[in-house]
Amino acid sequence: MEVVDRNTEEFLINHYSRLLETDPLNGLRSAARESFLKLGFPAKKQEAYKYTPIKRVIEKNFDFAELSVPVTSWTKEACQQKFYANSEANHLVFINGLYNQEFSVIKSPSSDLVIETIDNRSYENVADLKKYLGALTKDKQDAFALLNLATFSQGLFLHSLKNKDNLPTYIYHFNDAASSAISTPRVLTLVETGSRLRVYEKTFRNGEANHLTNSIVEADVKSNGELRWTKLQNQTMADYAIEGFYGIQERDSRIYTNTFSFKTALTRNNLYLSLDGENCETHMHGLYHLNQTSHVDNYTSVDHTEPNSFSNELYKGIVDEKAHAVFNGKIYVRPQAQKTNAFQSNNNIILSDDAKVNTKPQLEIWADDVKCSHGCTTGQLDEEAIFYLRSRGISKTNTKALMLNAFAAETVQEVQDDLIREEVENLILNKLGV
């Protein structure tokens, strides 16, 4: 039984018909399309979307049957002016969800990092694409991952070769919204044995119409590999985003994720990590600093399947005005995953009577020799601490900024890139009026 509304189905059919019939990706796309049409957008009654009525929001703000592929207003020069000032790095560009090699600047030699466009040609000729593309999302029954796989047409493949310490890689998403639009960027990342890769994502946009981003990152990290992935989300009140990150780890590997959310109409971050080898290590840090009517929902799932692994998850939120923050974190420890250490924490500060926070940390443990904990706090600024600082001549504005900056610092310090860390720190201070 199909549960997707007619407009969405028409959009999918129209988009699908634009793809070449000879495209070898069509097999993947067709299967994903049919699965999505049967599954449909998640409704509010589904527990994972209880506090984020994503189906209602999307159907209210987007008419899929009327969407068209936007004509880009971004030039090569305009894009490259937005690049971070790091000449010893890769700067990779997506235009309206399509990877654009011409606008990108690549500094890594192909003997260290292979950077490929995912399209019909590369899918036919690059063996790793057939093996890994869609492999991490296919069993998750995630409607948005299926929609992305059904409709993306030009993705990005990052392949870090064995025992390479790669240059930083910045991924920029440049979107146009002269009229309502949707973009579906997709990135597949393969980190081979002993390799290290650092990736930083940021989005820009032109136009004032509503824009929906449905992005997917798949990351496969082999033994003793390391991947650090940072997302900076600071857009407009006409931007809607569902961003999925799916990671899997082999033994002795490490994944670090950082997610910073500042301004959006609605953002849902889906983070799925599977620790499928012994001695894996995972660190997840997030900060959301929201005001106006921004809505950010962080959903995380960490699955420990083998012994002696470690995961540490810390998300912090500052929520003001009429903003709404949601955190739903799950940790699974399977029966064979003895000697697991897993920690999860979500802390929030509410700055107005109209702000709202819903938080639900969860543990499901089937092993008996583990150290696991989870917890959450939601409250206001400490009045005694405010009085103490004010009594020493610090203004009310600076007192508030000092306390909130200290509260957020633990998440920001995890970012290794100085340019990104300074930008996040400045965004925090700007929001505090300093």
Side-chain angles (χ1 to χ4, degrees):
M1 177 181 177
E2 294 187 351
V3 295
V4 176
D5 63 61
R6 183 179 177 184
N7 285 348
T8 304
E9 184 175 1
E10 287 179 1
F11 162 73
L12 281 169
I13 292 172
N14 291 337
H15 184 101
Y16 190 75
S17 67
R18 288 196 300 269
L19 303 174
L20 296 174
E21 291 183 3
T22 57
D23 186 345
L25 277 166
N26 276 356
L28 274 179
R29 291 196 181 104
S30 180
R33 173 183 176 273
E34 296 306 316
S35 296
F36 170 74
L37 288 173
K38 293 177 181 178
L39 187 63
F41 286 128
K44 190 176 180 180
K45 64 182 180 181
Q46 293 180 240
E47 184 65 25
Y49 286 85
K50 181 178 180 180
Y51 301 109
T52 301
I54 196 88
K55 177 180 171 69
R56 188 179 71 201
V57 170
I58 288 176
E59 291 178 351
K60 177 182 177 181
N61 291 283
F62 296 91
D63 184 347
F64 282 82
E66 297 297 324
L67 291 181
S68 60
V69 178
V71 177
T72 186
S73 59
W74 292 99
T75 64
K76 182 176 182 179
E77 181 182 13
C79 290
Q80 294 188 353
Q81 285 178 349
K82 300 290 187 180
F83 288 1
Y84 287 102
N86 185 348
S87 59
E88 294 302 315
N90 302 305
H91 300 270
L92 309 181
V93 171
F94 278 81
I95 302 291
N96 296 322
L98 306 178
Y99 173 59
N100 188 308
Q101 187 172 9
E102 179 189 352
F103 287 15
S104 301
V105 175
I106 297 173
K107 289 297 184 72
S108 287
S110 58
S111 57
D112 289 358
L113 181 66
V114 177
I115 300 174
E116 284 271 3
T117 301
I118 303 175
D119 56 16
N120 59 328
R121 180 192 60 80
S122 61
Y123 188 75
E124 199 166 32
N125 296 320
V126 180
D128 285 324
L129 284 178
K130 292 186 177 180
K131 181 178 180 180
Y132 292 104
L133 185 63
L136 298 184
T137 62
K138 66 179 180 180
D139 296 327
K140 296 296 184 182
Q141 289 296 292
D142 180 343
F144 295 103
L146 290 169
L147 179 59
N148 179 286
L149 188 56
T151 58
F152 95 97
S153 56
Q154 198 162 291
L156 171 64
F157 181 33
L158 300 175
H159 186 182
S160 176
L161 302 182
K162 288 184 179 180
N163 300 315
K164 301 297 183 181
D165 188 359
N166 288 284
L167 297 173
T169 295
Y170 301 93
I171 297 177
Y172 309 91
H173 301 275
F174 296 96
N175 297 326
D176 292 273
S179 59
S180 293
I182 179 173
S183 62
T184 55
R186 193 177 189 99
V187 181
L188 172 63
T189 304
L190 178 59
V191 179
E192 297 284 7
T193 299
S195 287
R196 180 171 180 257
L197 181 64
R198 294 158 289 163
V199 181
Y200 307 91
E201 274 192 284
K202 186 177 180 181
T203 300
F204 301 89
R205 67 116 86 195
N206 283 333
E208 298 180 354
N210 289 343
H211 189 278
L212 174 63
T213 298
N214 178 29
S215 71
I216 290 292
V217 174
E218 292 180 288
D220 195 314
V221 183
K222 302 303 185 184
S223 59
N224 200 35
E226 179 178 300
L227 175 64
R228 293 177 179 265
W229 200 286
T230 298
K231 288 177 177 281
L232 177 53
Q233 301 168 330
N234 184 38
Q235 301 182 59
T236 76
M237 297 306 295
D239 281 294
Y240 302 77
I242 300 92
E243 303 201 5
F245 184 99
Y246 289 79
I248 190 168
Q249 300 179 238
E250 292 187 0
R251 63 172 303 127
D252 302 312
S253 64
R254 301 165 299 282
I255 288 182
Y256 300 77
T257 65
N258 300 287
T259 306
F260 300 104
S261 307
F262 290 94
K263 188 175 183 180
T264 178
L266 182 146
T267 292
R268 164 80 174 207
N269 293 308
N270 292 318
L271 174 61
Y272 294 91
L273 294 175
S274 181
L275 285 68
D276 274 8
E278 289 195 54
N279 300 311
C280 288
E281 186 175 337
T282 297
H283 298 265
M284 298 146 284
H285 288 84
L287 173 69
Y288 41 93
H289 189 172
L290 311 175
N291 60 0
Q292 298 181 325
T293 57
S294 291
H295 182 117
V296 171
D297 182 345
N298 286 293
Y299 180 90
T300 69
S301 174
V302 183
D303 196 353
H304 294 261
T305 66
E306 297 295 334
N308 300 300
S309 60
F310 173 81
S311 67
N312 181 42
E313 182 173 8
L314 175 63
Y315 277 69
K316 289 190 172 187
I318 301 169
V319 189
D320 201 357
E321 297 178 351
K322 295 182 179 182
H324 186 185
V326 181
F327 175 82
N328 191 337
K330 292 185 177 182
I331 295 175
Y332 301 94
V333 182
R334 306 298 174 176
Q336 65 271 29
Q338 304 291 345
K339 305 293 184 183
T340 288
N341 291 341
F343 307 100
Q344 181 188 85
S345 181
N346 175 230
N347 302 317
N348 300 279
I349 293 178
I350 295 179
L351 298 178
S352 78
D353 292 338
D354 294 323
K356 184 187 296 185
V357 172
N358 297 104
T359 179
K360 188 179 181 182
Q362 301 171 75
L363 296 174
E364 293 190 25
I365 301 173
W366 293 275
D368 53 16
D369 186 9
V370 301
K371 293 181 180 179
C372 299
S373 68
H374 69 291
C376 63
T377 61
T378 300
Q380 298 176 323
L381 289 172
D382 187 334
E383 291 296 333
E384 290 188 4
I386 292 174
F387 177 80
Y388 177 83
L389 292 171
R390 292 295 307 280
S391 68
R392 277 147 181 79
I394 302 176
S395 70
K396 184 177 181 179
T397 298
N398 287 340
T399 293
K400 177 181 174 182
L402 186 65
M403 294 177 67
L404 292 175
N405 201 36
F407 172 79
E410 190 175 0
T411 60
V412 180
Q413 68 186 10
E414 295 299 323
V415 180
Q416 289 192 330
D417 187 278
D418 292 340
L419 296 171
I420 302 289
R421 187 172 59 253
E422 289 173 8
E423 183 173 8
V424 171
E425 290 171 345
N426 288 332
L427 284 169
I428 294 171
L429 294 175
N430 288 339
K431 270 190 170 287
L432 295 174
V434 177

